[in-house]
Amino acid sequence: MAGKEEGRQAGTEAPPSVKKQLLTSMDPEIIRRIKSAAALRETTASLVMEQAAAEWLERHEDGKR
């Protein structure tokens, strides 16, 4: 993963200074479900989305560096 610190697993929280924002638009119902699922797992929607993106990139050859 680009910008991944050595020894850090994909989808784990990095210090805030290492993170960058990505603004995107999504269906409000999807956003609600992501936030709800994250809360049930005592995590953040941001971490859920980072993990989902990392998994997606692993499955798609064009997403690999």
Side-chain angles (χ1 to χ4, degrees):
M1 180 185 296
K4 182 174 118 176
E5 288 184 32
E6 199 150 332
R8 189 171 67 85
Q9 293 181 340
T12 59
E13 288 289 332
S17 61
V18 176
K19 298 277 185 164
K20 288 191 165 197
Q21 285 189 323
L22 170 68
L23 177 63
T24 187
S25 299
M26 297 172 85
D27 182 283
E29 178 62 14
I30 299 293
I31 294 170
R32 186 193 65 73
R33 291 174 60 196
I34 290 167
K35 287 181 176 182
S36 178
L40 288 171
R41 290 164 180 77
E42 297 182 348
T43 190
T44 64
S46 179
L47 183 56
V48 169
M49 294 307 301
E50 184 174 357
Q51 291 171 335
E55 290 173 16
W56 188 90
L57 288 167
E58 286 299 314
R59 290 192 314 269
H60 295 83
E61 187 64 33
D62 56 349
K64 295 186 180 189
R65 291 176 50 99

